[in-house]
Each structure stands twice: as structure tokens, then as C-alpha cells.
Amino acid sequence: MAARRGALIALEGVDRAGKSTQCRRLVEALRDAGHRADLLRFPDRTTEIGQLISSYLGREKNLEDHTIHLLFSANRWEHVPMMKEKLHQGITVVVDRYAFSGVAFTSAKGNFGLEWCKQPDVGLPKPDLILFLQLSPEEAAERGDFGHERYETSSFQEKVLQSFYCLMEDKTLNWKTVNASKSIEDLHREIKSIAEKTMQEVQNKPLEELWK
Ligand code: ADP
Ligand code: 2DT
Ligand code: MG
């Protein structure tokens, strides 16, 4: 029998929903519980492509809308060999944003159909679980102001949210919505329990391809 594989778990949600906080807590807790787990964030701003993306987000550089979309996707593809290797070695990979942010943000610009936006990410490792951290714009506002990066405005974020809802209608994906207005600890406990259940369920199943 093939060795048990790790699970691919993505966290998505609106700005300030707590994705980065929960990703860190989840990986720590899984490791404390004796699982092998690693964290990845997209965009990964440390690679050459990531640095270009970072200067775009920081408004130091302007890039044409299709171009930046493809760079965000390329930034995921450059990690695929390493992600597959980890998963097949039994390491659970937690990702802070994934292709769903890619599609939601570009399609929120208008003039971009969801299908076009999805194409570059077709065939990426398919997440076994996508946790959507749901938080109202009012509650997000209580967690501090927007930063100064591109996309950080309430009107744009509202469009992004509508695109996420469209993507969540795809029943071939394992979306789970969690209430992100809970305390960090309560939300963490809920996420850890869903993650461990998924890890158990998929360990003997083949890794699938996204949107294929
Ligand atoms: P995201 O990565 O989704 O943008 P972060 O994890 O960076 O969100 O959290 C945004 C801010 O909200 C941070 O200051 C963080 O400490 C705070 N925060 C995160 N989760 C919660 C929570 N459950 N309740 C209250 N504040 C939170
Ligand atoms: P953070 O680093 O704070 O998460 O912000 N984005 C992200 C895209 O437009 N396309 C993508 O494919 C991804 C992964 C969301 C990163 C910003 O980049 C946006 C917010
Ligand atoms: Mg974050």
C-alpha cells in the first residue's frame, strides 16, 4: 500500500478575517499534536516573481491586469513540485490564500470572466479542504483600518466577496465556511478539528487536480 499522504488545506476569506493568524496557529497546533505540517502563503513575496508581485501590490510598479493575474498564478506553479513532494511524504500543507483569491481579486476588476481567471490555475494540486473565514465588513473594520496596498478599499473588497460566493457554488470542491467573528482561540479549535478530520479522510486517497 502507498504511504499516507498529507492534506492540502487552503484558508481564504476577506481582508482581516484572520487567515494569517489561523494558518500560523493551525500549523503550530498540528505539529504539537505530532503531525508533520508546513505553511505556505500566496503570494510568496520572497521569489523573483513574488518580488514583482509585491512591488505591484505596494504601488511601486504598475502591471497590466492580465499580466499580474498570470504572475500570481506563476507564483503558485513555481511551488508545485515542492508542494507535491511534501504531500506525498505525508506532510500536511496549509496555504494562506490560493487560486481562489487569484480568481476573486482579478474578476472583481470587471471585464474578466471567472472562466478566464481560472484557466492558468487549472491542474494545480486540488485542496482537500478550503476553509472560508466569513466576517462582515463592519466586524473587519473593527480590527483596524485598511492598509495602503492595492485592493485595500471597501468597494473593491465587496466585489471580491461576491466573486468568492460564485466560486463557492462549485460543489466539486470541499468548501467549509467558518464564522470568523469568534475569538481567535475558539475559531482555532474549530479549524483544527475540521483539519484533522480531513487529514484522516484523505490520507489514502490520491491527490487530485484543481478545476480539471
Ligand atoms: P488576514 O490574514 O485574514 O488579513 P490577520 O490574521 O492578519 O487577517 O488578522 C487581521 C487582524 O485581526 C490582526 O490584527 C489580528 O490580530 C486580528 N484578529 C485575527 N483574528 C481575530 C479574531 N478572531 N478576533 C479578533 N481579532 C482578530
Ligand atoms: P496578503 O499578502 O495580505 O494576503 O495580500 N491576491 C492574492 C491576488 O490578487 N491574487 C492572488 O492570486 C493572490 C494569492 C489578495 C495579498 C494581496 O494579493 C491579492 C491580497
Ligand atoms: Mg493575511
Side-chain angles (χ1 to χ4, degrees), residues 27-135:
V27 169
E28 266 170 29
L30 292 176
R31 287 177 177 171
D32 288 349
H35 302 285
R36 291 201 293 161
D38 279 334
L39 173 62
L40 281 179
R41 62 205 59 79
F42 291 113
D44 172 2
R45 303 186 192 215
T46 65
T47 68
E48 279 178 65
I49 294 169
Q51 284 166 31
L52 208 52
I53 292 172
S54 187
S55 58
Y56 170 81
L57 289 171
R59 302 178 196 272
E60 294 146 43
K61 196 176 193 74
N62 285 322
L63 290 164
E64 190 275 332
D65 289 333
H66 300 78
T67 311
I68 184 65
H69 182 77
L70 296 172
L71 287 172
F72 273 113
S73 177
N75 185 234
R76 284 182 279 280
W77 280 107
E78 63 181 334
H79 288 85
V80 166
M82 176 265 283
M83 287 169 72
K84 284 187 172 168
E85 199 180 309
K86 285 183 194 288
L87 292 165
H88 289 130
Q89 284 172 353
I91 302 171
T92 284
V93 177
V94 176
V95 290
D96 183 351
R97 295 190 188 275
Y98 201 50
F100 315 99
S101 277
V103 175
F105 278 74
T106 299
S107 65
K109 292 178 175 179
N111 298 324
F112 284 89
L114 282 189
E115 283 313 309
W116 187 89
C117 293
K118 284 157 75 173
Q119 279 316 302
D121 287 311
V122 168
L124 281 178
K126 177 178 169 178
D128 298 295
L129 169 67
I130 313 156
L131 286 157
F132 188 77
L133 275 60
Q134 186 136 40
L135 190 71

Side-chain angles (χ1 to χ4, degrees), residues 12-24 96-97 133 135 140 142-144 179-187:
E12 291 280 10
V14 294
D15 195 60
R16 292 162 294 176
K19 299 176 297 299
S20 298
T21 305
Q22 293 298 331
C23 280
R24 283 192 299 269
D96 183 351
R97 295 190 188 275
L133 275 60
L135 190 71
E142 284 167 18
R143 295 186 182 176
N179 175 2
S181 68
K182 294 180 178 180
S183 73
I184 292 178
E185 262 326 294
D186 285 353
L187 184 57

